[in-house]
Amino acid sequence: GVTPLQGVRWVDGRQESFPGERGFVGTAYDVNRDGSVAVGRQCRPPTVQNPIDDQSAWVWTARDGTRCLPVPRFRPSPGPPVLGYANATSDDGRVVGGSQRIGQVDSDAIIWIDGSASYLKDYLRANGIPDAFEGWPNTGEITDVSADGRILLGWGAAPRGYRGYLVILGDRE
């Protein structure tokens, strides 16, 4: 079998895996300014005993350790692999952006706020933008989050081709 990718960090010249329920987590994609928050995909990577790919993404904080970030809705197999990706984090780790990918091409942006997952389109529609991403086949993925968690960058499938987007969120409590 193939060895799953592992998220690691270097501390004082030493490589350390991010701890997870199965001993480690999958690939790391982003870290905050001081290295106290990291995010990535596959909170529970497949093992010989558990060969199923986990759809969860993950967030690790120096204070609280690793926490799985489930996707808003589980999409069942059989079919192409489905994975949650946490691509970017705010400095405090409260806002995480990423996606739920189905196979290689279909992807919808996800925002996790304090660990609670929403599809970006649904979150915006529930918070005062009723026609957010109207007509878009999918919202792709969030690729970056500002340090304060208020600005999201991403890309998706717009009505006339792929487009980048910038979302400015209101103040958080």
Side-chain angles (χ1 to χ4, degrees):
V2 176
T3 302
L5 299 175
Q6 295 182 37
V8 299
R9 64 193 186 118
W10 279 261
V11 179
D12 298 325
R14 251 182 25 258
Q15 178 179 307
E16 294 180 4
S17 294
F18 290 104
E21 292 177 15
R22 295 185 183 166
F24 58 90
V25 294
T27 309
Y29 283 107
D30 195 28
V31 66
N32 71 343
R33 175 182 38 82
D34 67 4
S36 63
V37 179
V39 296
R41 75 176 183 100
Q42 289 186 305
C43 194
R44 300 171 199 90
T47 63
V48 173
Q49 296 82 12
N50 296 293
I52 304 298
D53 270 348
D54 177 60
Q55 294 187 30
S56 299
W58 56 268
V59 59
W60 170 89
T61 65
R63 190 185 75 210
D64 299 324
T66 303
R67 185 171 38 129
C68 294
L69 296 172
V71 295
R73 287 188 293 273
F74 178 80
R75 296 197 181 172
S77 293
V82 179
L83 290 173
Y85 286 75
N87 295 330
T89 183
S90 61
D91 242 13
D92 62 7
R94 289 187 60 203
V95 178
V96 174
S99 66
Q100 181 180 33
R101 294 186 194 168
I102 302 164
Q104 295 296 315
V105 290
D106 191 14
S107 180
D108 276 302
I110 295 176
I111 182 171
W112 289 271
I113 298 179
D114 295 325
S116 178
S118 297
Y119 288 113
L120 179 60
K121 178 176 15 180
D122 294 345
Y123 179 84
L124 295 174
R125 289 179 177 189
N127 287 280
I129 306 173
D131 60 351
F133 294 103
E134 190 66 41
W136 286 50
N138 70 55
T139 53
E141 65 181 324
I142 296 169
T143 57
D144 204 3
V145 174
S146 63
D148 67 1
R150 290 193 61 232
I151 301 172
L152 313 173
L153 293 177
W155 64 269
R160 294 189 182 102
Y162 291 100
R163 299 282 183 265
Y165 54 79
L166 179 144
V167 174
I168 300 173
L169 302 174
D171 290 326
R172 293 184 285 139
E173 288 137 25

